[in-house]
Amino acid sequence: MPRPPTRHGLEKKYKPWRKGKSTTGKSGASRASLKNKLRSQRRLLSKLPNTDGDNNEAVRSKIEDTIKELEAEISDRRQTQTERKNAEKYHQVRFFDRQRLTRMERTTRRLLEEARAAADGDEVAKHQTELDAIILDKLYVGYFPNDTKYFSLFRNGERVRDDEPTARKRRMIRARIASDYIAGKLKSKSWFNLDDVKNDMKSDLSTAEAEASATTLAKNASSTSSTTVKRKRDEIVSEESKESNKIERAASTKKKEKPEQNGEDVDSVGDSDTSNSSDDESDSLENEQQKNPDET
């Protein structure tokens, strides 16, 4: 007889035919996480004896290779998760920027055609410059890397005015996109054609890439120098801590030696007292014998 349905509906959530089974078809025992595998390999490496031998070296090198592979796999998985998270988080903002740029491009192309028809050179140059800037902005929006936070071009319908840190980050992102474009890593999208990027715009991209690379090198040099200073400071601190530990050990050994010396002095005093008492007893016996010679 079937069991009557309940009100809480748990029979729908916990289905009886799925008991003890997973949706992937693998058992839970065989699906150890990468972190657990990495921890077990590190423990195994730490337990290896520090003895020389071809067999021991082969086992050690094999474990180290496995650790490197697991670390690389964990890093790739984190990178993929970060990119997926940012793509979902900033999808709407990028969509709004893309729609606004598409409308701006349509309007600018229409004005450019009208200026060309009127043979107005100043207006043609003006609208052409605006169109080139819009195309570069569309390149920025369409190929922004998903591993970093997205910096929007518009806010409340107006162009964003960047402060110096944000402008520097935006230049770095544009230079990264430019390097990918020059290397041929980008592909055209349904709403953006890479053929719209002209030769003079490519030179601008190359210049931006060079500036960003110079900034990166300077930043790496400063970080390297700061790392060197920090390493030297840590070495000085470690040496000072070693000296203080030596002083503390010496003081503790001196404290331990003093009670032992005091104990030896007490024993020697006690021995001297017993020897003096025995000498006094022998002297008293001799005096008694001299006083009573008949009794002896």
mmCIF file of all heavy atoms in Angstrom, residues 9-41:
data_model
loop_
_atom_site.group_PDB
_atom_site.id
_atom_site.type_symbol
_atom_site.label_atom_id
_atom_site.label_comp_id
_atom_site.label_asym_id
_atom_site.label_seq_id
_atom_site.Cartn_x
_atom_site.Cartn_y
_atom_site.Cartn_z
ATOM 1 N N GLY A 9 6.038 18.003 1.577
ATOM 2 C CA GLY A 9 6.558 17.727 0.245
ATOM 3 C C GLY A 9 7.984 17.238 0.207
ATOM 4 O O GLY A 9 8.676 17.423 -0.805
ATOM 5 N N LEU A 10 8.463 16.598 1.285
ATOM 6 C CA LEU A 10 9.840 16.100 1.285
ATOM 7 C C LEU A 10 10.017 14.916 0.349
ATOM 8 O O LEU A 10 11.134 14.629 -0.084
ATOM 9 C CB LEU A 10 10.254 15.706 2.707
ATOM 10 C CG LEU A 10 10.497 16.853 3.688
ATOM 11 C CD1 LEU A 10 10.845 16.304 5.051
ATOM 12 C CD2 LEU A 10 11.603 17.762 3.176
ATOM 13 N N GLU A 11 8.922 14.210 0.057
ATOM 14 C CA GLU A 11 9.062 13.063 -0.855
ATOM 15 C C GLU A 11 9.400 13.523 -2.261
ATOM 16 O O GLU A 11 9.911 12.739 -3.068
ATOM 17 C CB GLU A 11 7.772 12.238 -0.869
ATOM 18 C CG GLU A 11 6.593 12.929 -1.546
ATOM 19 C CD GLU A 11 5.873 13.888 -0.630
ATOM 20 O OE1 GLU A 11 6.278 13.970 0.549
ATOM 21 O OE2 GLU A 11 4.930 14.532 -1.080
ATOM 22 N N LYS A 12 9.113 14.809 -2.568
ATOM 23 C CA LYS A 12 9.509 15.325 -3.866
ATOM 24 C C LYS A 12 10.975 15.740 -3.877
ATOM 25 O O LYS A 12 11.652 15.622 -4.888
ATOM 26 C CB LYS A 12 8.638 16.523 -4.235
ATOM 27 C CG LYS A 12 7.179 16.191 -4.425
ATOM 28 C CD LYS A 12 6.396 17.434 -4.803
ATOM 29 C CE LYS A 12 4.912 17.120 -4.999
ATOM 30 N NZ LYS A 12 4.145 18.338 -5.344
ATOM 31 N N LYS A 13 11.447 16.249 -2.739
ATOM 32 C CA LYS A 13 12.834 16.707 -2.673
ATOM 33 C C LYS A 13 13.797 15.534 -2.532
ATOM 34 O O LYS A 13 14.819 15.470 -3.213
ATOM 35 C CB LYS A 13 12.984 17.660 -1.490
ATOM 36 C CG LYS A 13 14.360 18.271 -1.371
ATOM 37 C CD LYS A 13 14.408 19.284 -0.233
ATOM 38 C CE LYS A 13 15.786 19.913 -0.133
ATOM 39 N NZ LYS A 13 15.870 20.882 0.979
ATOM 40 N N TYR A 14 13.491 14.604 -1.621
ATOM 41 C CA TYR A 14 14.345 13.443 -1.389
ATOM 42 C C TYR A 14 13.696 12.229 -2.049
ATOM 43 O O TYR A 14 12.834 11.583 -1.457
ATOM 44 C CB TYR A 14 14.544 13.209 0.108
ATOM 45 C CG TYR A 14 15.124 14.396 0.830
ATOM 46 C CD1 TYR A 14 14.323 15.213 1.609
ATOM 47 C CD2 TYR A 14 16.478 14.712 0.712
ATOM 48 C CE1 TYR A 14 14.846 16.313 2.258
ATOM 49 C CE2 TYR A 14 17.009 15.812 1.357
ATOM 50 C CZ TYR A 14 16.191 16.595 2.131
ATOM 51 O OH TYR A 14 16.707 17.688 2.771
ATOM 52 N N LYS A 15 14.083 11.965 -3.260
ATOM 53 C CA LYS A 15 13.473 10.881 -4.020
ATOM 54 C C LYS A 15 14.074 9.548 -3.571
ATOM 55 O O LYS A 15 15.291 9.428 -3.419
ATOM 56 C CB LYS A 15 13.691 11.100 -5.514
ATOM 57 C CG LYS A 15 12.984 12.370 -6.006
ATOM 58 C CD LYS A 15 13.214 12.591 -7.462
ATOM 59 C CE LYS A 15 12.374 13.770 -7.959
ATOM 60 N NZ LYS A 15 12.606 14.997 -7.209
ATOM 61 N N PRO A 16 13.251 8.527 -3.390
ATOM 62 C CA PRO A 16 13.761 7.265 -2.838
ATOM 63 C C PRO A 16 14.738 6.566 -3.780
ATOM 64 O O PRO A 16 15.638 5.861 -3.322
ATOM 65 C CB PRO A 16 12.488 6.435 -2.614
ATOM 66 C CG PRO A 16 11.477 7.034 -3.534
ATOM 67 C CD PRO A 16 11.810 8.482 -3.620
ATOM 68 N N TRP A 17 14.587 6.733 -5.098
ATOM 69 C CA TRP A 17 15.488 6.033 -6.010
ATOM 70 C C TRP A 17 16.860 6.697 -6.116
ATOM 71 O O TRP A 17 17.742 6.174 -6.776
ATOM 72 C CB TRP A 17 14.848 5.939 -7.390
ATOM 73 C CG TRP A 17 14.547 7.276 -8.016
ATOM 74 C CD1 TRP A 17 15.389 8.048 -8.744
ATOM 75 C CD2 TRP A 17 13.313 7.966 -7.962
ATOM 76 N NE1 TRP A 17 14.763 9.189 -9.149
ATOM 77 C CE2 TRP A 17 13.473 9.174 -8.682
ATOM 78 C CE3 TRP A 17 12.073 7.706 -7.376
ATOM 79 C CZ2 TRP A 17 12.449 10.105 -8.816
ATOM 80 C CZ3 TRP A 17 11.071 8.630 -7.526
ATOM 81 C CH2 TRP A 17 11.244 9.809 -8.234
ATOM 82 N N ARG A 18 16.992 7.891 -5.499
ATOM 83 C CA ARG A 18 18.293 8.556 -5.500
ATOM 84 C C ARG A 18 19.053 8.347 -4.195
ATOM 85 O O ARG A 18 20.092 8.958 -3.985
ATOM 86 C CB ARG A 18 18.103 10.058 -5.713
ATOM 87 C CG ARG A 18 17.737 10.421 -7.131
ATOM 88 C CD ARG A 18 17.705 11.910 -7.303
ATOM 89 N NE ARG A 18 17.366 12.290 -8.661
ATOM 90 C CZ ARG A 18 17.206 13.544 -9.061
ATOM 91 N NH1 ARG A 18 17.361 14.529 -8.194
ATOM 92 N NH2 ARG A 18 16.893 13.813 -10.304
ATOM 93 N N LYS A 19 18.565 7.541 -3.332
ATOM 94 C CA LYS A 19 19.219 7.345 -2.054
ATOM 95 C C LYS A 19 20.568 6.659 -2.250
ATOM 96 O O LYS A 19 20.665 5.585 -2.840
ATOM 97 C CB LYS A 19 18.324 6.495 -1.150
ATOM 98 C CG LYS A 19 18.866 6.356 0.255
ATOM 99 C CD LYS A 19 17.890 5.586 1.135
ATOM 100 C CE LYS A 19 18.429 5.483 2.547
ATOM 101 N NZ LYS A 19 17.522 4.744 3.432
ATOM 102 N N GLY A 20 21.606 7.298 -1.766
ATOM 103 C CA GLY A 20 22.952 6.739 -1.886
ATOM 104 C C GLY A 20 23.561 6.914 -3.250
ATOM 105 O O GLY A 20 24.588 6.314 -3.542
ATOM 106 N N LYS A 21 22.934 7.717 -4.127
ATOM 107 C CA LYS A 21 23.458 7.900 -5.469
ATOM 108 C C LYS A 21 23.650 9.384 -5.733
ATOM 109 O O LYS A 21 22.982 10.237 -5.161
ATOM 110 C CB LYS A 21 22.497 7.316 -6.505
ATOM 111 C CG LYS A 21 22.296 5.829 -6.372
ATOM 112 C CD LYS A 21 21.335 5.324 -7.425
ATOM 113 C CE LYS A 21 21.099 3.837 -7.287
ATOM 114 N NZ LYS A 21 20.162 3.331 -8.313
ATOM 115 N N SER A 22 24.579 9.688 -6.617
ATOM 116 C CA SER A 22 24.840 11.072 -7.003
ATOM 117 C C SER A 22 24.403 11.287 -8.439
ATOM 118 O O SER A 22 24.197 10.345 -9.196
ATOM 119 C CB SER A 22 26.334 11.403 -6.870
ATOM 120 O OG SER A 22 27.090 10.596 -7.749
ATOM 121 N N THR A 23 24.249 12.559 -8.799
ATOM 122 C CA THR A 23 23.796 12.875 -10.157
ATOM 123 C C THR A 23 24.869 12.620 -11.197
ATOM 124 O O THR A 23 24.571 12.468 -12.373
ATOM 125 C CB THR A 23 23.386 14.347 -10.223
ATOM 126 O OG1 THR A 23 24.480 15.156 -9.798
ATOM 127 C CG2 THR A 23 22.196 14.609 -9.317
ATOM 128 N N THR A 24 26.154 12.587 -10.784
ATOM 129 C CA THR A 24 27.240 12.360 -11.738
ATOM 130 C C THR A 24 27.516 10.893 -11.993
ATOM 131 O O THR A 24 28.288 10.561 -12.883
ATOM 132 C CB THR A 24 28.521 13.025 -11.241
ATOM 133 O OG1 THR A 24 28.845 12.497 -9.936
ATOM 134 C CG2 THR A 24 28.332 14.529 -11.127
ATOM 135 N N GLY A 25 26.940 10.013 -11.172
ATOM 136 C CA GLY A 25 27.173 8.597 -11.373
ATOM 137 C C GLY A 25 28.409 8.074 -10.699
ATOM 138 O O GLY A 25 28.764 6.913 -10.853
ATOM 139 N N LYS A 26 29.110 8.906 -9.904
ATOM 140 C CA LYS A 26 30.312 8.468 -9.199
ATOM 141 C C LYS A 26 30.019 8.430 -7.713
ATOM 142 O O LYS A 26 29.245 9.224 -7.192
ATOM 143 C CB LYS A 26 31.475 9.422 -9.477
ATOM 144 C CG LYS A 26 31.885 9.452 -10.940
ATOM 145 C CD LYS A 26 33.049 10.411 -11.135
ATOM 146 C CE LYS A 26 33.465 10.458 -12.596
ATOM 147 N NZ LYS A 26 34.584 11.395 -12.812
ATOM 148 N N SER A 27 30.692 7.525 -7.034
ATOM 149 C CA SER A 27 30.496 7.435 -5.592
ATOM 150 C C SER A 27 31.216 8.568 -4.898
ATOM 151 O O SER A 27 32.198 9.116 -5.394
ATOM 152 C CB SER A 27 31.024 6.080 -5.095
ATOM 153 O OG SER A 27 32.404 5.976 -5.357
ATOM 154 N N GLY A 28 30.730 8.922 -3.699
ATOM 155 C CA GLY A 28 31.332 10.018 -2.967
ATOM 156 C C GLY A 28 32.735 9.714 -2.492
ATOM 157 O O GLY A 28 33.561 10.611 -2.322
ATOM 158 N N ALA A 29 33.049 8.438 -2.244
ATOM 159 C CA ALA A 29 34.374 8.079 -1.756
ATOM 160 C C ALA A 29 35.444 8.286 -2.802
ATOM 161 O O ALA A 29 36.598 8.575 -2.476
ATOM 162 C CB ALA A 29 34.367 6.625 -1.285
ATOM 163 N N SER A 30 35.092 8.131 -4.084
ATOM 164 C CA SER A 30 36.091 8.246 -5.144
ATOM 165 C C SER A 30 36.252 9.665 -5.659
ATOM 166 O O SER A 30 37.060 9.911 -6.542
ATOM 167 C CB SER A 30 35.704 7.326 -6.305
ATOM 168 O OG SER A 30 34.467 7.729 -6.858
ATOM 169 N N ARG A 31 35.447 10.609 -5.128
ATOM 170 C CA ARG A 31 35.498 11.982 -5.621
ATOM 171 C C ARG A 31 36.188 12.886 -4.617
ATOM 172 O O ARG A 31 35.617 13.835 -4.102
ATOM 173 C CB ARG A 31 34.076 12.479 -5.911
ATOM 174 C CG ARG A 31 33.446 11.841 -7.124
ATOM 175 C CD ARG A 31 32.060 12.401 -7.339
ATOM 176 N NE ARG A 31 31.192 12.123 -6.207
ATOM 177 C CZ ARG A 31 30.237 12.928 -5.791
ATOM 178 N NH1 ARG A 31 30.056 14.089 -6.354
ATOM 179 N NH2 ARG A 31 29.469 12.593 -4.766
ATOM 180 N N ALA A 32 37.397 12.522 -4.269
ATOM 181 C CA ALA A 32 38.159 13.371 -3.349
ATOM 182 C C ALA A 32 38.497 14.682 -4.041
ATOM 183 O O ALA A 32 38.824 14.728 -5.220
ATOM 184 C CB ALA A 32 39.433 12.655 -2.923
ATOM 185 N N SER A 33 38.397 15.761 -3.299
ATOM 186 C CA SER A 33 38.659 17.071 -3.875
ATOM 187 C C SER A 33 40.145 17.233 -4.165
ATOM 188 O O SER A 33 41.000 16.502 -3.655
ATOM 189 C CB SER A 33 38.187 18.165 -2.921
ATOM 190 O OG SER A 33 38.950 18.129 -1.729
ATOM 191 N N LEU A 34 40.436 18.203 -4.987
ATOM 192 C CA LEU A 34 41.832 18.444 -5.354
ATOM 193 C C LEU A 34 42.640 18.915 -4.150
ATOM 194 O O LEU A 34 43.829 18.584 -4.025
ATOM 195 C CB LEU A 34 41.888 19.489 -6.470
ATOM 196 C CG LEU A 34 41.294 19.068 -7.814
ATOM 197 C CD1 LEU A 34 41.326 20.241 -8.785
ATOM 198 C CD2 LEU A 34 42.056 17.892 -8.398
ATOM 199 N N LYS A 35 42.008 19.684 -3.269
ATOM 200 C CA LYS A 35 42.730 20.141 -2.083
ATOM 201 C C LYS A 35 43.112 18.977 -1.179
ATOM 202 O O LYS A 35 44.217 18.946 -0.617
ATOM 203 C CB LYS A 35 41.872 21.140 -1.319
ATOM 204 C CG LYS A 35 41.708 22.471 -2.023
ATOM 205 C CD LYS A 35 40.935 23.434 -1.153
ATOM 206 C CE LYS A 35 40.804 24.792 -1.843
ATOM 207 N NZ LYS A 35 40.048 25.761 -1.015
ATOM 208 N N ASN A 36 42.205 18.011 -1.036
ATOM 209 C CA ASN A 36 42.532 16.838 -0.224
ATOM 210 C C ASN A 36 43.656 16.024 -0.854
ATOM 211 O O ASN A 36 44.548 15.517 -0.154
ATOM 212 C CB ASN A 36 41.293 15.969 -0.050
ATOM 213 C CG ASN A 36 40.236 16.627 0.803
ATOM 214 O OD1 ASN A 36 40.545 17.519 1.594
ATOM 215 N ND2 ASN A 36 38.994 16.217 0.637
ATOM 216 N N LYS A 37 43.627 15.897 -2.174
ATOM 217 C CA LYS A 37 44.710 15.174 -2.846
ATOM 218 C C LYS A 37 46.042 15.890 -2.665
ATOM 219 O O LYS A 37 47.075 15.261 -2.418
ATOM 220 C CB LYS A 37 44.384 15.042 -4.338
ATOM 221 C CG LYS A 37 43.225 14.121 -4.647
ATOM 222 C CD LYS A 37 42.977 14.054 -6.144
ATOM 223 C CE LYS A 37 41.798 13.155 -6.475
ATOM 224 N NZ LYS A 37 41.528 13.091 -7.928
ATOM 225 N N LEU A 38 46.009 17.218 -2.794
ATOM 226 C CA LEU A 38 47.239 17.983 -2.621
ATOM 227 C C LEU A 38 47.765 17.858 -1.194
ATOM 228 O O LEU A 38 48.979 17.697 -0.984
ATOM 229 C CB LEU A 38 46.974 19.450 -2.970
ATOM 230 C CG LEU A 38 48.157 20.414 -2.872
ATOM 231 C CD1 LEU A 38 49.262 20.005 -3.827
ATOM 232 C CD2 LEU A 38 47.704 21.835 -3.166
ATOM 233 N N ARG A 39 46.883 17.921 -0.204
ATOM 234 C CA ARG A 39 47.315 17.783 1.180
ATOM 235 C C ARG A 39 47.894 16.401 1.460
ATOM 236 O O ARG A 39 48.918 16.269 2.158
ATOM 237 C CB ARG A 39 46.137 18.059 2.113
ATOM 238 C CG ARG A 39 46.517 18.050 3.587
ATOM 239 C CD ARG A 39 45.397 18.539 4.476
ATOM 240 N NE ARG A 39 44.222 17.692 4.397
ATOM 241 C CZ ARG A 39 43.072 18.056 3.835
ATOM 242 N NH1 ARG A 39 42.953 19.244 3.275
ATOM 243 N NH2 ARG A 39 42.042 17.237 3.814
ATOM 244 N N SER A 40 47.281 15.382 0.910
ATOM 245 C CA SER A 40 47.805 14.025 1.129
ATOM 246 C C SER A 40 49.164 13.844 0.481
ATOM 247 O O SER A 40 50.063 13.206 1.053
ATOM 248 C CB SER A 40 46.807 13.002 0.576
ATOM 249 O OG SER A 40 46.674 13.153 -0.834
ATOM 250 N N GLN A 41 49.369 14.423 -0.703
ATOM 251 C CA GLN A 41 50.672 14.317 -1.359
ATOM 252 C C GLN A 41 51.750 15.072 -0.581
ATOM 253 O O GLN A 41 52.887 14.614 -0.473
ATOM 254 C CB GLN A 41 50.582 14.858 -2.788
ATOM 255 C CG GLN A 41 49.747 14.003 -3.738
ATOM 256 C CD GLN A 41 50.360 12.637 -3.959
ATOM 257 O OE1 GLN A 41 51.564 12.496 -4.084
ATOM 258 N NE2 GLN A 41 49.507 11.614 -4.003
#
